Every structure is written in C-alpha cells, then in structure tokens.
Amino acid sequence: LLIALGGLLCGAAAAFLIIRFRVFLRRYGIEDITMHMLLQILTPFAIYLIAEEIHVSGVLAVVAGGIVHAIERDRSESLTMKLQFVSASTWSVILFILNGLVFVILGLQIPSVLAAIFKDKAFNNVQVMGYIVVISLTLIVLRFLWVYLFSALVNREQNGRRFKAALLTSLSGVRGAITLAGAFSIPLFLDDGTLFPERSLIIFLSAGVILFTLIVASFILPLIPMEKTPQQKGQQSQEERLKQAKIQIMNAAVSAIKESMQEDNKAAAMTVITDYRRQLLHIRSEGSSTKEGAEVRAMTKRLHLYALAAERQTVKRLFEQGEIYPGAVRRVQFMLNQTELMLTNRVKYAAVLTVVVARKLIVKLMGHTKEALTDEDIRTLTEVKKQAAEAAVAAVEEITDKNNKSAALAVISHYHEMIERLNSGMHGRKKTHQSALDVKGIHIMAIQTERDEIQSLYEKGEITHGMANKLRMFSNFREASFFEEEEFA
C-alpha cells in the first residue's frame, strides 16, 4: 500500500513541479521548441527514477505524472502552434516504436517459450490451449457484461441496440502491448536466486490471449450486420453525402484554427477562417441533388459571371482614364480570367493552374526572380481591386429580385469579404512578412486537419474509398489554389 500510494503521490508532485518549470521558462521568453520537446520526452524517465530512488512504485508514479501533465496542460499551458505540431508528431513516432518494440520482443521470446511449454512433460498442450480460450472468453464476457449493464443504467437505449453495442465493444477489446508488457515485467529470478515459477507459461498465455482476441475480432466483427446508412436506405445520394463530408472536414479545420488562435496570430487566423466561411457558403449552395439546388447553383454562377463583367468594365474605365498602368491591368485581368475559368471550366482551370505553378517552379530553380512591386504599385492594385469589387456589388444589387435573392446574397457576401480584406490591409503584399507566414502556417495546419478528418471518416465507414479520394483531391486542389494566389499576390 505504501509503495502504490507513494508512487502515485510522488508522480503527481514531480509532474506538477516539472510543468511549473516549463511554464517558468516560457514566461521568461525561452520558447525553444527543441528544448521544450526534450523536456517532454525526459519527464517520464525523470519521474520514474525519482520514485524508484525513494523506494516507491516508479510505474505508478509515471501514470500519475501523465494524468497530472494532461490536466495541467489543458488548464494552464498555452503551447505555441509549432510546439503542438512537433509534440504530436514526436509522440506519435515514439508510441509507434514502443508498440512495435514490444511485439518484436514477443517474436524473439515466442520460440523459447513454445519450446519450454511443448517439451515440458508437466504441461498438457491441449490443456494449455484450453487455458488461452477460457481466459480470452472470460475477458470478452466480462467486458460485455460491464458495457451492457453500464449502458442500461446510463443510456436507456433499446435492448437490441444496447446488445449490439456491447457485443461490438467486447469483441473489439483486443489485447496487446499492455498485456505483453505486464508479462515481460515478471523477473527471471526470485530473491533467493531460483527461477521465477511458470514465467514461460505466463508469457505463453499472454501471447495466446493476444492472438486469440486479434483473430476473433478480425473474423467475427465483419460478420456482424451494421446499421443501415442513409445511403443504404436510399435517403441520400452519393453527391449529397460528398457535399456533407466537404462541409464536415472544413468545419473541422475551422474548429482547429479557433483552438490554436492566440493573440499574436489572431488576425492571420481570422483571415483563413473568413476564407473557409466563404467556401462553406459556396459549398452549401451547390451539390444538392434537388432541382431547386441545381437552379440556385446555376443562378449563382450567372450572377458571378455578371459581376466579373462589371469588374472588367471598371478596370477598362480606369485604364482609359489613365488611372492605372498596363501592368496593373494585366495582373487584375489575369485574376479575373482565372476566376471566370474556375466558374465555367474547372478542368481547364486546374490544367492552367498546374502549368502556372510548374512554370514558377522552373523559374525559381533556374535562379530567376520576378521583379518586386513598389509600394505605389501595391497601392494602385489594391485600389483597382477594391473599386472593381464595389462595382460588382452595385451591379448585382441592381438586378436582384425575389427570384434570385438567395444566389445574389451569396455573390454579394463574397465581394463584401473581399472588400473587408482589402480595407484591413490583410490582402496580398500589404501584409507584413510575419503575417504572411502566419497565414501560410495556419492554412497548412487547416489543410492537414482536413486530411485527418477525411481519414477518420473513412475509418468510421461514413465515406467510401472513392469518396475519400475525391475529398483528398478537393483539399489538394484548394491547397494548390491558395499557394498560387499567395505567389501571385
């Protein structure tokens, strides 16, 4: 009792002190990612050694330290975005290595353990195999009873659904690294120097239970009928499911951006969130399988093309009045052409975008750099884009009526957001270098969140393999569009 409770208390106290030390370093401006990551990795080893030094349980101390670390991190630590990325990636690799290492050790131990069991006349091989089956079934039954009774008390679901949920959870309880690590923690010898009794049998039973639960889950789980999805019930087309999946992955990205938002990157985060909201508005107005949805999409496209025509007229008028130079006209016309191409022919737009990106990459590899814009050029371009956007809004508002109001509002909202970005100085080269880096970093993080959400949806069976590929292409295409826009700006 003293060793167990002492280990828990020691681990909690040590973890709290280490966390306070890390917070102290950050308060004094020591933000080195490598050093903080090294402290994270060394923390469990330090806690273990401290606990063992005072003769309490080092294992329980590390467990308690991990719990305290998680609670304190969520409450008090405000980790930088880069540290979060590095930490998640590093611990993912460490976890993978440790899990793999345990099973490598299992593979090395199994031959000698098998030999010890099968050659020892004291063991009946059939009886030992029976032990494995009995232990595994007992674990499955215990898990089933626990889950079934708990759900009966808490969820109050129907008996059929409760039974299936408990059965799926029970069969999914595959034993693994913890079971094996527990068996390997048994010492080879007792204090008097004699061999630990039946150590080989314990390791053999543990390995057998792991294999048995793994095989049962692999073969039986696919045979259990799942609840019918909306697609199977004929309530939702694949196009509608794809649309909902797009909305879900983009909402996940927005949530991730909000969670990582801090005072120093708030402006950049809001810029990316605004872009996501604009795209979400566009997605919600398209992809519907109903006739009304198709009509809204067609109307939105027509109004957007009408607005682009108004922008072109404004650029032409400003050029004829001598307010802008030919280079500015070419840049703005290029953007308008790209937008029109995206609305009318997405395949051709993707091909053109690929060519443009490839050309810029080749130019960079050859060591050439494009001529930098002067401050006056930037101000001129910004003013031209602002006037063109205002003219587009006025043109759409002039022809708005009750028949096209929904589509018109979507187009007008898009231009209002553009004007706000131009007015706030958060567009193009008016952004500071640090702001541009923040926007780029947040956008990369958001795209990665989208990909993680896609993988999660696929693993849950909510989307098919083909739909997952389409969603990945959707994210890849928007990522390429973002970097092309940043480069052009």
Side-chain angles (χ1 to χ4, degrees):
L1 187 62
L2 178 63
I3 290 174
L5 293 179
L8 293 173
L9 292 175
C10 175
F16 183 80
L17 292 175
I18 293 174
I19 291 170
R20 292 296 98 194
F21 176 67
R22 292 177 56 199
V23 173
F24 172 80
L25 293 178
R26 297 192 71 249
R27 284 177 179 172
Y28 280 85
I30 303 176
E31 298 278 358
D32 183 71
I33 302 298
T34 303
M35 186 192 69
H36 280 277
M37 196 62 242
L38 186 61
L39 284 174
Q40 281 191 21
I41 296 174
L42 293 179
T43 293
F45 296 97
I47 292 175
Y48 180 87
L49 292 175
I50 292 171
E52 290 294 325
E53 186 65 25
I54 61 176
H55 305 293
V56 294
S57 174
V59 174
L60 290 178
V62 174
V63 172
I67 295 172
V68 171
H69 181 83
I71 296 173
E72 282 297 306
R73 179 190 60 195
D74 293 339
R75 275 198 328 175
S76 61
E77 282 197 80
S78 179
L79 298 176
T80 63
M81 189 185 308
K82 185 175 180 181
L83 180 56
Q84 291 179 16
F85 293 156
V86 174
S87 178
S89 301
T90 303
W91 283 110
S92 176
V93 172
I94 292 174
L95 182 62
F96 180 83
I97 292 174
L98 291 177
N99 274 306
L101 183 61
V102 169
F103 286 97
V104 168
I105 296 174
L106 172 63
L108 295 174
Q109 292 283 322
I110 282 296
S112 59
V113 170
L114 284 174
I117 297 299
F118 289 148
K119 293 180 180 179
D120 192 341
K121 295 182 180 179
F123 295 111
N124 184 317
N125 295 335
V126 176
Q127 189 177 17
V128 171
M129 294 295 180
Y131 288 157
I132 292 174
V133 175
V134 171
I135 294 171
S136 302
L137 293 178
T138 302
L139 291 172
I140 293 173
V141 171
L142 287 174
R143 182 185 289 260
F144 175 85
L145 292 175
W146 175 264
V147 174
Y148 185 83
L149 295 175
F150 185 81
S151 61
L153 294 173
V154 177
N155 297 329
R156 305 289 184 180
E157 295 179 344
Q158 297 177 356
N159 287 333
R161 294 183 61 186
R162 187 161 64 241
F163 180 86
K164 182 179 289 186
L167 181 61
L168 289 171
T169 306
S170 304
L171 296 177
S172 301
V174 179
R175 300 288 149 170
I178 296 177
T179 299
L180 204 56
F184 282 138
S185 67
I186 298 173
L188 290 171
F189 302 96
L190 297 175
D191 288 341
D192 59 4
T194 60
L195 290 173
F196 192 97
E198 313 302 351
R199 183 176 184 273
S200 296
L201 177 62
I202 295 173
I203 294 176
F204 180 78
L205 292 176
S206 300
V209 169
I210 292 171
L211 293 175
F212 183 89
T213 55
L214 182 63
I215 292 172
V216 167
S218 300
F219 283 93
I220 297 182
L221 280 177
L223 301 178
I224 300 176
M226 306 297 291
E227 291 187 9
K228 291 185 177 181
T229 63
Q231 169 68 13
Q232 293 170 322
K233 296 176 181 179
Q235 295 178 354
Q236 200 175 41
S237 67
Q238 184 170 351
E239 180 184 357
E240 186 66 19
R241 292 172 66 203
L242 192 62
K243 171 187 171 182
Q244 294 301 325
K246 287 180 181 179
I247 294 174
Q248 186 169 341
I249 65 173
M250 296 188 75
N251 280 331
V254 171
S255 298
I257 296 171
K258 289 180 179 178
E259 290 176 2
S260 64
M261 188 186 301
Q262 299 176 14
E263 197 62 36
D264 57 348
N265 67 357
K266 186 175 181 179
M270 290 306 301
T271 299
V272 181
I273 289 175
T274 299
D275 182 59
Y276 267 92
R277 285 174 176 168
R278 175 178 59 80
Q279 295 182 60
L280 278 168
L281 182 64
H282 177 71
I283 291 172
R284 287 191 175 101
S285 66
E286 68 176 8
S288 175
S289 59
T290 64
K291 181 179 179 181
E292 181 181 355
E295 291 175 353
V296 172
R297 293 198 308 274
M299 180 61 69
T300 303
K301 181 187 293 187
R302 287 196 296 269
L303 290 177
H304 211 140
L305 292 174
Y306 184 78
L308 288 175
E311 287 191 75
R312 294 184 193 278
Q313 289 295 327
T314 301
V315 174
K316 181 179 178 182
R317 175 177 57 80
L318 292 174
F319 176 67
E320 291 174 349
Q321 293 174 355
E323 297 185 24
I324 56 175
Y325 57 95
V329 174
R330 287 194 297 271
R331 284 178 174 270
V332 177
Q333 290 288 4
F334 176 82
M335 284 193 297
L336 296 177
N337 291 338
Q338 292 292 93
T339 303
E340 182 177 3
L341 196 60
M342 183 178 65
L343 290 170
T344 57
N345 192 333
R346 287 182 176 271
V347 176
K348 187 175 180 181
Y349 172 73
V352 172
L353 183 62
T354 303
V355 172
V356 172
V357 173
R359 185 180 64 190
K360 290 182 178 294
L361 180 61
I362 293 172
V363 170
K364 283 186 177 181
L365 291 175
M366 294 177 64
H368 300 295
T369 56
K370 63 181 181 181
E371 184 179 352
L373 294 174
T374 64
D375 291 341
E376 184 62 31
D377 293 335
I378 295 172
R379 283 193 292 270
T380 300
L381 283 170
T382 303
E383 185 60 31
V384 170
K385 287 186 282 188
K386 181 181 174 182
Q387 290 190 35
E390 290 172 346
V393 171
V396 174
E397 287 178 343
E398 187 177 347
I399 63 172
T400 300
D401 55 32
K402 63 179 182 179
N403 296 322
N404 64 8
K405 186 175 181 180
S406 178
L409 288 176
V411 177
I412 292 171
S413 175
H414 162 71
Y415 278 103
H416 278 162
E417 289 176 0
M418 181 188 298
I419 293 170
E420 288 177 7
R421 289 199 300 268
L422 293 170
N423 287 333
S424 64
M426 286 297 296
H427 187 75
R429 294 183 180 272
K430 290 197 72 176
K431 294 182 290 189
T432 64
H433 178 64
Q434 184 58 45
S435 176
L437 289 177
D438 288 343
V439 170
K440 186 175 181 180
I442 292 172
H443 197 94
I444 292 174
M445 181 269 290
I447 291 292
Q448 184 57 47
T449 301
E450 289 184 37
R451 292 176 177 138
D452 293 341
E453 185 69 14
I454 293 169
Q455 183 64 24
S456 176
L457 290 174
Y458 176 66
E459 290 175 355
K460 293 176 182 177
E462 297 182 17
I463 58 175
T464 64
H465 180 70
M467 292 172 64
N469 286 336
K470 289 182 179 179
L471 290 171
R472 292 188 183 100
M473 290 179 63
F474 169 74
S475 294
N476 292 342
F477 178 73
R478 289 191 313 97
E479 183 180 28
S481 299
F482 168 78
F483 285 113
E484 170 59 19
E485 180 183 342
E486 287 290 303
E487 182 66 22
F488 174 71

